[in-house]
Amino acid sequence: MGDSYTVNDIQVLKGLEAVRKRPGMYIGDTGIGGLHQLVWEIVDNSVDEALNGHCDTIKVVMERDGSVTVEDSGRGIPIETHPSTGKNTVETIFCSLHAGGKFDDDTYKVAGGLHGVGASVVNALSAKMLVRVRRNGFLHTQEFQRGIPVSPLVKEKPAHGTGAKISFLPDPEIFGSLRFSTEIIRERLEIKAFLIAGLKIILVDHIENTTQTFCYPEGIKDFLNHIMEDHEPVGAQPFYCFNQNDLRFEAALAWTSETSGKILSFVNSIPTPAGGTHENAFRNAFTKVIRSYIEKRNGLPKGVKGVSAEDIKEGLFAILSVYLNGNLEFQGQTKDRLNSLEAQHIEPALRAAFETWLHQNPSQAQAISSRVLLSAQARLASRAARDEVTRKAATTRLALPGKLADCSLNSRDKTELFIVEGDSAGGSSKQARDRRFQAILPIRGKILNVEQASLEKLRNNREITSLIQSVGTGIGKNFDYSKLRYGKIIINTDADVDGHHISTLLLAFFYRFLPDLVHKGHLYLALPPLYRIRIGSGKNSRVKYVFTDKEKEALLKRRNIKDVEIQRFKGLGEMDAPTLKSTTMDPSSRSILRVTVDDEMKTHRIFDTLMGKDVRKRFVFIKERSQEVHELDI
Ligand code: 28F
């Protein structure tokens, strides 16, 4: 910097300071997610060049020193003095926070990321950054530290071609973890390569010494094939359409005969896992076209009144990629739901394209409409079964299930229902409870997996009916919150694998059929200990309860004690009443966790994965999550 500060310099410093003070506001968090956000911001600038047809190759290198280098074959960042700052354009882009909108709305038709402030945010949060630009026949470089230039823009040796190359080292003062994940970066880069047909993306990892190249000449058609893996499309041939005019978008989709499916949507090549306006418009378009096709051609089968958006979704695999010009608006806790209204305008174009395609491909159209009618019929059958379960529970409501040991108090805000596994745990819980406000319902064995079971099966499941009766509210359209009989519903299962499985099944049941109780915070998990450890003997002995093997090992190692007695609880039934009381039942000493739903979509997906039919998916999930589960903190 020069020796006199201008108003501009002060503004720049203030901007960067704001980023360093509240990094979360700009990149979400300062953990693994925020760390990787830095890479996305820089890569997205290269991707913007590619999206606008100026770049065919992007290379991302994970360096041994923890820095990342991103290089593109675009036009290179302009180096001339920028009229609004009086500085060169590189410095302007990398140091001014509020010079958003890519400075000039005409330069870029579409842009992703933080609307042009991405580069300065990454710079502010990097201990070091080196920018290299090939342009006008020369290499130009400039260096920064924590967002502040430490060199001028230097014109170096002559260089062929054009492009930008940026290396940055995330600042350890800001980030908790500095370890980039090849897998996370790979996944994101592969998606970019799928979304921009023909773009070549190379990922080099100098830590593991691996190089991977992604290039998909058929773009989202290749992407659809990839996510469908070994799923057979109904009607053999996927539908594909694109629009290059005012509103740029592309879609590829196919139905399978299975019930699972996957819709992946993107805006300006950024994933929108929670959907939003574009995805809704997409669903509407296909629902309307298929609905009118069925009504015109076949007519609806007996008993089926109409085709819903849900029916269309069943077995559907789809990629939707939309590009918008203006500022993108996102919604939701994790900002991954698109909220921009312009995206709705894809609906008429999608409808027209799909309609034409159906008329030109009658055999495909026939296969797809049969497939959709099948889900409509299945939906009606399960609705009928669900209503019957509710009716049964509702009519016998006055007679509470025989297995329920009810409490004497009636007031809902003081009472608690403990759901325990098996008669033996039921027996000891009855001894340990305070019968004035604590009720016990023993459940036998594993209750039905509600994600997989047809609703027909639910109806005949005794455990489920007695659960619904005890809770009192009814389910489905008969749900009545005012009839809730207990303020806390506490799931108390053994601390072993079977116990975890049963509590997961119960959680899934509540989440799917009594979601209001979960949202309103009535559901709890008790955490029974796995071991009792008595340290010392006689009068001076102390007792500690521990919840995991890891915790036990840690305790024994830390204390380095000789005189210990360890008791492992095989189940709640084996615990004596005082132990059970103090660890999971007595409000003054127990450990219980309230079940909350942070992110609806995520929870939805987690249950799908845990309880759904795809065993492989379930395995991956459990493997990936197991570490988190061990670290569960109370
Ligand atoms: C490794 C990361 O950041 N690549 C980029 C360009 C190209 C242009 C540009 C970037 C111009 C006036 C803002 C070139 N020629 N890779 C990158 N490549 N930025 S960032 O322009 C920025 C605007 O203010 C570019 C003509 N127009 C644009």
Side-chain angles (χ1 to χ4, degrees):
M1 290 210 148
D3 35 27
S4 70
Y5 274 94
T6 65
V7 176
N8 228 325
D9 293 329
I10 292 165
Q11 268 177 355
V12 162
L13 287 174
K14 277 207 175 128
L16 300 177
E17 213 178 290
V19 177
R20 291 181 59 84
K21 229 183 215 161
R22 292 168 191 254
M25 293 260 296
Y26 300 86
I27 54 164
D29 59 68
T30 53
I32 297 285
L35 184 74
H36 287 82
Q37 190 63 40
L38 303 182
V39 182
W40 314 152
E41 292 303 335
I42 298 300
V43 167
D44 280 349
N45 287 336
S46 298
V47 167
D48 285 345
E49 280 290 282
L51 276 174
N52 289 285
H54 302 294
C55 161
D56 60 8
T57 310
I58 299 172
K59 186 173 173 187
V60 178
V61 182
M62 300 164 69
E63 312 281 2
R64 290 188 74 92
D65 66 356
S67 66
V68 168
T69 301
V70 182
E71 181 174 7
D72 67 49
S73 64
R75 292 166 296 177
I77 304 165
I79 45 177
E80 300 72 33
T81 304
H82 196 277
S84 69
T85 60
K87 312 266 178 193
N88 78 69
T89 307
V90 170
E91 192 173 323
T92 306
I93 290 179
F94 282 85
C95 300
S96 350
L97 182 65
H98 293 293
K102 285 270 174 192
F103 299 89
D104 177 358
D105 277 345
D106 297 334
T107 315
Y108 279 98
K109 284 222 176 63
V110 291
L114 291 173
H115 316 302
V117 301
S120 60
V121 168
V122 177
N123 193 15
L125 301 176
S126 295
K128 282 191 212 161
M129 181 178 261
L130 170 62
V131 178
R132 280 162 285 202
V133 172
R134 283 178 297 129
R135 208 172 143 101
N136 303 347
F138 282 88
L139 170 70
H140 310 262
T141 63
Q142 186 164 16
E143 281 178 78
F144 305 87
Q145 285 177 9
R146 305 198 156 91
I148 296 164
V150 293
S151 84
L153 182 71
V154 179
K155 183 172 171 182
E156 315 246 3
K157 59 186 183 197
H160 289 295
T162 58
K165 183 172 177 182
I166 292 163
S167 302
F168 64 93
L169 181 67
D171 190 346
E173 285 174 14
I174 303 279
F175 293 95
S177 164
L178 296 168
R179 283 264 294 277
F180 286 105
S181 150
T182 319
E183 194 40 41
I184 294 175
I185 296 178
R186 189 200 72 81
E187 196 185 303
R188 182 91 168 198
L189 294 183
E190 185 174 34
I191 288 176
K192 298 285 181 193
F194 274 127
L195 292 176
I196 305 166
L199 171 64
K200 183 166 154 190
I201 304 185
I202 305 160
L203 172 61
V204 179
D205 175 357
H206 279 320
I207 297 150
E208 303 274 332
N209 288 321
T210 58
T211 299
Q212 304 174 69
T213 303
F214 309 104
C215 184
Y216 299 101
E218 298 290 318
I220 68 164
K221 289 183 202 164
D222 288 332
F223 201 172
L224 184 68
N225 280 335
H226 175 76
I227 64 165
M228 288 188 68
E229 279 175 326
D230 35 30
H231 303 272
E232 261 313 298
V234 159
Q237 186 187 313
F239 166 75
Y240 168 79
C241 76
F242 71 96
N243 195 20
Q244 281 290 31
N245 314 332
D246 44 329
L247 185 53
R248 187 167 154 192
F249 72 82
E250 263 187 298
L253 57 141
W255 278 266
T256 67
S257 52
E258 295 126 90
T259 48
S260 63
K262 200 182 242 176
I263 301 177
L264 298 180
S265 63
F266 304 87
V267 60
N268 295 2
S269 89
I270 304 161
T272 41
T277 42
H278 56 336
E279 213 178 292
N280 295 342
F282 167 90
R283 275 190 232 283
N284 285 343
F286 287 92
T287 307
K288 285 176 187 164
V289 172
I290 293 180
R291 201 182 267 160
S292 84
Y293 183 90
I294 289 175
E295 278 159 15
K296 267 190 225 136
R297 297 284 162 131
N298 316 38
L300 289 163
K302 228 175 156 185
V304 181
K305 287 208 193 67
V307 174
S308 76
E310 278 304 297
D311 302 332
I312 307 270
K313 229 182 83 184
E314 202 175 283
L316 173 63
F317 285 81
I319 311 286
L320 170 66
S321 172
V322 177
Y323 294 97
L324 300 179
N325 291 326
N327 274 358
L328 302 182
E329 274 178 61
F330 291 97
Q331 216 185 20
Q333 212 157 32
T334 40
K335 297 273 171 259
D336 52 11
R337 189 200 318 271
L338 180 67
N339 204 27
S340 309
L341 293 179
E342 308 100 275
Q344 291 171 341
H345 298 135
I346 63 170
E347 191 186 320
L350 270 175
R351 275 173 73 170
F354 190 52
E355 224 153 43
T356 311
W357 186 80
L358 283 186
H359 288 291
Q360 286 168 353
N361 298 276
S363 67
Q364 306 279 340
Q366 195 53 47
I368 291 170
S369 52
S370 311
R371 172 67 189 90
V372 172
L373 280 175
L374 197 69
S375 35
Q377 281 165 313
R379 174 173 56 91
L380 290 174
S382 65
R383 160 97 27 100
R386 182 204 300 233
D387 288 347
E388 202 172 318
V389 178
T390 314
R391 224 180 11 258
K392 231 179 174 175
T395 48
T396 48
R397 198 181 54 231
L398 289 175
L400 288 167
K403 290 195 297 180
L404 174 73
D406 209 1
C407 51
S408 54
L409 272 174
N410 264 330
S411 112
R412 174 213 282 203
D413 43 300
K414 294 199 187 69
T415 55
E416 303 177 341
L417 173 68
F418 282 83
I419 303 171
V420 299
E421 164 203 353
D423 293 335
S424 133
S428 20
S429 304
K430 271 183 231 171
Q431 282 177 33
R433 72 172 169 155
D434 182 330
R435 61 167 59 238
R436 282 171 306 172
F437 70 97
Q438 294 182 319
I440 312 291
L441 178 70
I443 290 271
R444 195 185 304 261
K446 297 198 176 169
I447 68 155
L448 213 58
N449 184 343
V450 292
E451 288 292 308
Q452 282 180 30
S454 71
L455 280 146
E456 249 153 302
K457 269 200 200 145
L458 255 187
R459 176 185 50 176
N460 296 322
N461 187 292
R462 285 251 294 281
E463 309 308 306
I464 300 257
T465 15
S466 52
L467 191 54
I468 298 168
Q469 285 169 352
S470 306
V471 170
T473 54
I475 58 171
K477 64 172 190 256
N478 295 331
F479 178 82
D480 182 351
Y481 180 65
S482 70
K483 298 221 166 86
L484 178 63
R485 302 185 62 248
Y486 308 95
K488 290 194 175 75
I489 298 167
I490 303 167
I491 299 171
N492 193 8
T493 55
D494 295 345
D496 59 8
V497 178
D498 277 353
H500 282 307
H501 190 199
I502 293 164
S503 59
T504 312
L505 292 170
L506 282 164
L507 281 174
F509 169 77
F510 278 99
Y511 179 69
R512 285 283 190 249
F513 294 100
L514 293 162
D516 268 19
L517 300 188
V518 183
H519 289 295
K520 295 199 161 93
H522 291 289
L523 192 61
Y524 293 79
L525 287 172
L527 300 164
L530 197 53
Y531 297 100
R532 178 189 12 222
I533 301 184
R534 185 188 293 282
I535 305 164
S537 56
K539 268 199 222 130
N540 292 329
S541 73
R542 287 182 303 115
V543 168
K544 278 205 67 120
Y545 294 106
V546 303
F547 296 89
T548 61
D549 281 310
K550 215 163 113 188
E551 219 181 314
K552 182 193 74 173
E553 297 308 325
L555 177 78
L556 296 181
K557 208 180 275 169
R558 198 167 57 233
R559 301 286 158 121
N560 194 18
I561 26 183
K562 289 171 220 96
D563 197 6
V564 288
E565 183 194 303
I566 304 175
Q567 185 192 354
R568 188 193 157 101
F569 300 117
K570 293 225 180 61
L572 297 174
E574 223 178 65
M575 247 180 233
D576 56 28
T579 307
L580 188 59
K581 187 178 175 105
S582 79
T583 56
T584 62
M585 297 189 76
D586 182 350
S588 67
S589 58
R590 70 189 176 190
S591 308
I592 63 173
L593 278 179
R594 177 182 259 163
V595 178
T596 56
V597 179
D598 279 345
D599 176 336
E600 189 78 12
M601 286 307 290
K602 213 186 257 165
T603 310
H604 221 73
R605 276 199 296 271
I606 287 174
F607 277 122
D608 250 27
T609 309
L610 268 178
M611 323 294 291
K613 283 215 172 100
D614 189 340
V615 178
R616 197 181 53 95
K617 226 165 63 178
R618 186 158 55 204
F619 176 70
V620 170
F621 178 84
I622 292 170
K623 223 176 70 189
E624 282 175 0
R625 283 296 161 113
S626 52
Q627 206 180 342
E628 250 175 69
V629 173
H630 285 310
E631 285 162 5
L632 193 85
D633 228 340
I634 346 149

